[in-house]
Amino acid sequence: ATGVAFSRDAATGENLFNGEYLINAQGEDVVAGIRTPQQITIEGSRRWAKAQNVSEAERRSKYPSLEEVMPAVYKELNEIQHHLEQYFKDMQDIEFTIQDGKLWMLQCRNGKRTGAAMVKIAMDMLREGLIDEKTAVLRCEPAKLDELLHPVFDKTAMKNAKVIVKGLPASPGAATGPVVFFAEDAEKMLKEKNQRAILVRIETSPEDLKGMLDAVGILTARGGMTSHAAVVARGMGKCCVSGAGELQIDYKARTIRVNGYEIKEGDWISLNGSTGEVYLGQVATQAADLSGDFGQLMELARKYSVLKVRANADTPKDAAQAFAFGAEGIGLCRTEHMFFEGDRIKAVREMILADDEAGRRVALAKLLPMQRSDFEGLFKAMQGHPVTVRLLDPPLHEFVPHFEKEQRELAKDMNVPYEKITAKVELLAEVNPMLGHRGCRLGNTYPEITEMQTRAIIEAAMNVKKTGIPVHVEIMVPLVGNHKELRYQKNIIDQTAEKVFSERNDRLEYMIGTMIEVPRAAVTAHQIAEVAEFFSFGTNDLTQMTLGFSRDDIAKFLPIYLEKGILKNDPFQILDRNGVGQLIREAVFKGRGTRENLKCGICGEHGGEPSSVEFCHFAGLNYVSCSPFRVPIARLAAAHAALKEA
């Protein structure tokens, strides 16, 4: 006979010797799939029979275990597997053969395992005294925690799943649902049918935010790992496949054509956000199960890490989720995401369409209480942990409708001529909006925007402080490339805060810092640190500007660059240490040369990627900030970095 065995269950981590064998076979016959193997133990054989609906009598006669067929050999094998596990102090994958009744051991190695099994085995072995705490932490791969945090496909259902296209694994998890092509249809389907859909878009924009929230998953034809769809989906903990370039999406006909298939609106598809695969039809999913072992591992990670972990969160719900995963603050609150809720977008558009400052201030006055309420929710959710609020960053064209139907509706709602809407949209259009009128450039052009946001932040903080909850506010100015830009913004923030303090006859401490996302900001960090009390590296834009790669278009040539070895990894997924990383190191060194206690963090998508977190530890950063569902991964990676350094 021949067989393959595991000292513990590789799928669940259960401390159960298990495996398969074949009579009158040798070598690789067990794993070749030519014959159906039998189970090694009686317990394993009974579990298999139950799953296959085989009676106990039939099992014993047709599919007996090795334990029953060769009891002496089984006893020896069981003793050896126990000895090997005690010696190597890890779960063992064992290959053996039996010749003329004699057991021969062929090889053993540390066995591969699922994320759930990885955590359980490490914690069990810690309790058994086989390994110590540090080894238990290092034994768990941070990236594999993803498997524990998101829904997954049912293994049985996956056997018949048909892949129709493959894109980028933009946000992990599993999702299945009917196809819709417009955000409002995703909202409508949830509201009217209580059914979450798969939102399929050529690419998403901030206008799609509500629909993305109501969808169960997102699929796009364009975009990379840091495209709008990918970043927002990860923040929501929602499954997303992006950059599936073979998709031919027809919005008018509401169909998808891909590799010989035609999928109409309402047809079901399924997404695997961990592999990028898209399946035809409905594939059953199952919820993630976070056991007590997971919590224990996270406590050990906190004990041994130096680097703090915060979350990128824009809503109280996201903040609460991040806090539950152990986030020690919010490292990035993108205030523009708040502008798309309910009637807020109307006030934003009213501000954009205003002819003068007075008109803009009228519209901003409507937004003020809404923003203040949002910030109060975030401060309460974080229970005294620091909250970094980024002032308005995207270009204004992202907030206006670009299709005639929506433009005419807006003209009607605002009681203005349709031509005025189209003229304003054309005026806002830019050849390269990501390098255009956005970030601090907006605040310096329209100071009243910075004033409104500052007032909302400070008033919210003071309201929450009154309830007895401590508040630590950090106001972050985006896209600074010149220290004068930051000085101008700081003056507006300080003057506005002083007005609020005077009105309230009270004060609170706050910090002003900036995102380092323009290469010039990194190399002139010594000047910027004269003004900024903290740096937060926005590595999405810093990577884009340093490498000259559009993060939304890189998918067109990235596979070829990876195949030819021009790039080792996608630089928007794994930090480019030799380019972007050197700018970060230089900025930290120069910044702290000016301001010794300068707090430095990272809030780009790299903040949740294990090797990038390790780099941040060695670069001397104080914290990383990432999507809520990446917080546990970052926490474990931070502990790994500290233990490796030690």
Side-chain angles (χ1 to χ4, degrees), residues 46 54 93 145 336 374 415 417 451 475 512 526 541 595 609:
R46 284 178 176 155
V54 171
D93 174 348
L145 290 184
E336 63 272 8
D374 287 331
N415 197 26
E451 285 177 31
I475 300 174
I512 297 175
H526 54 295
D541 270 336
R595 190 184 293 267
E609 193 281 315

Side-chain angles (χ1 to χ4, degrees), residues 429-448:
E430 295 177 297
V431 175
N432 195 338
M434 288 300 101
L435 297 178
H437 195 190
R438 56 172 285 223
C440 66
R441 300 159 196 172
L442 277 174
N444 286 334
T445 311
Y446 307 120
E448 55 273 15

Side-chain angles (χ1 to χ4, degrees), residues 477-508:
V477 180
L479 216 73
V480 166
N482 182 319
H483 68 97
K484 293 178 184 177
E485 291 177 303
L486 183 58
R487 286 181 195 278
Y488 193 88
Q489 284 288 284
K490 184 179 187 298
N491 286 338
I492 299 168
I493 294 165
D494 285 339
Q495 287 168 17
T496 306
E498 285 301 325
K499 282 181 189 174
V500 177
F501 297 155
S502 177
E503 292 163 7
R504 298 287 186 101
N505 197 25
D506 193 9
R507 354 182 22 93
L508 55 73

Side-chain angles (χ1 to χ4, degrees), residues 372-636:
R372 184 171 57 223
S373 173
D374 287 331
F375 296 140
E376 285 175 7
L378 288 175
F379 294 143
K380 286 174 183 174
M382 276 294 108
Q383 296 289 313
H385 289 294
V387 176
T388 305
V389 182
R390 182 181 73 185
L391 301 180
L392 188 62
D393 183 45
L396 295 180
H397 81 88
E398 291 195 3
F399 299 101
V400 294
H402 294 276
F403 296 105
E404 183 182 343
K405 182 187 172 189
E406 287 84 358
Q407 288 174 352
R408 289 194 179 277
E409 286 173 1
L410 179 61
K412 187 179 176 183
D413 284 347
M414 299 193 68
N415 197 26
V416 297
Y418 166 66
E419 291 73 22
K420 182 176 180 179
I421 303 290
T422 55
K424 193 69 177 182
V425 171
E426 284 176 22
L427 187 66
L428 290 171
E430 295 177 297
V431 175
N432 195 338
M434 288 300 101
L435 297 178
H437 195 190
R438 56 172 285 223
C440 66
R441 300 159 196 172
L442 277 174
N444 286 334
T445 311
Y446 307 120
E448 55 273 15
I449 296 177
T450 301
E451 285 177 31
M452 182 279 286
Q453 292 202 297
T454 301
R455 178 172 281 275
I457 294 164
I458 298 297
E459 287 183 351
M462 297 187 86
N463 291 346
V464 172
K465 180 188 166 190
K466 262 189 173 180
T467 68
I469 298 172
V471 180
H472 290 90
V473 184
E474 299 175 354
I475 300 174
M476 184 158 69
V477 180
L479 216 73
V480 166
N482 182 319
H483 68 97
K484 293 178 184 177
E485 291 177 303
L486 183 58
R487 286 181 195 278
Y488 193 88
Q489 284 288 284
K490 184 179 187 298
N491 286 338
I492 299 168
I493 294 165
D494 285 339
Q495 287 168 17
T496 306
E498 285 301 325
K499 282 181 189 174
V500 177
F501 297 155
S502 177
E503 292 163 7
R504 298 287 186 101
N505 197 25
D506 193 9
R507 354 182 22 93
L508 55 73
E509 295 296 318
Y510 64 93
M511 296 175 72
I512 297 175
T514 186
M515 283 184 89
I516 304 290
E517 49 191 332
V518 176
R520 189 183 190 280
V523 298
T524 61
H526 54 295
Q527 293 178 324
I528 291 174
E530 291 172 6
V531 190
E533 296 173 275
F534 67 88
F535 286 171
S536 180
F537 294 94
T539 51
N540 298 348
D541 270 336
L542 189 58
T543 298
Q544 186 165 237
M545 293 190 206
T546 303
L547 275 70
F549 291 161
S550 163
R551 63 189 184 189
D552 293 317
D553 299 313
I554 192 175
K556 292 177 182 175
F557 61 88
L558 179 63
I560 297 158
Y561 268 44
L562 293 174
E563 183 186 319
K564 294 185 175 179
I566 297 170
L567 289 176
K568 188 177 179 183
N569 303 294
D570 179 348
F572 289 104
Q573 282 193 70
I574 297 175
L575 192 73
D576 165 40
R577 296 191 181 196
N578 291 330
V580 178
Q582 293 313 305
L583 284 176
I584 291 173
R585 283 184 180 276
E586 183 175 353
V588 172
F589 178 76
K590 284 184 172 179
R592 287 183 177 154
T594 298
R595 190 184 293 267
E596 190 178 348
N597 61 346
L598 183 74
K599 189 192 295 187
C600 294
I602 181 176
C603 62
E605 283 301 299
H606 300 95
E609 193 281 315
S611 69
S612 305
V613 172
E614 181 183 77
F615 170 83
C616 293
H617 172 89
F618 288 110
L621 270 60
N622 300 97
Y623 69 89
V624 296
S625 187
C626 57
S627 306
F629 279 82
R630 280 184 153 190
V631 166
I633 296 167
R635 290 177 63 192
L636 186 56

Side-chain angles (χ1 to χ4, degrees), residues 304-307 617-618 637-646:
Y304 290 106
S305 59
V306 175
L307 202 63
H617 172 89
F618 288 110
H640 274 223
L643 288 171
K644 286 174 185 175
E645 183 181 40

Side-chain angles (χ1 to χ4, degrees), residues 192-265:
E192 295 180 2
K193 299 182 180 179
N194 198 29
Q195 172 66 59
R196 291 191 182 272
I198 302 284
L199 178 61
V200 180
R201 300 287 292 165
I202 295 171
E203 59 191 347
T204 63
S205 73
E207 278 190 293
D208 298 317
L209 204 63
K210 185 65 169 68
M212 294 170 76
L213 187 64
D214 291 338
V216 69
I218 298 131
L219 171 63
T220 67
R222 291 188 201 143
M225 294 295 289
T226 53
S227 62
H228 177 267
V231 172
V232 172
R234 279 197 291 273
M236 294 175 175
K238 198 155 299 240
C239 175
C240 176
V241 174
S242 65
E246 293 173 82
L247 294 176
Q248 295 174 22
I249 299 170
D250 187 333
Y251 286 145
K252 196 171 181 181
R254 300 194 179 218
T255 60
I256 306 167
R257 290 183 184 276
V258 58
N259 296 323
Y261 296 96
E262 183 180 82
I263 298 154
K264 298 173 184 173
E265 186 170 70

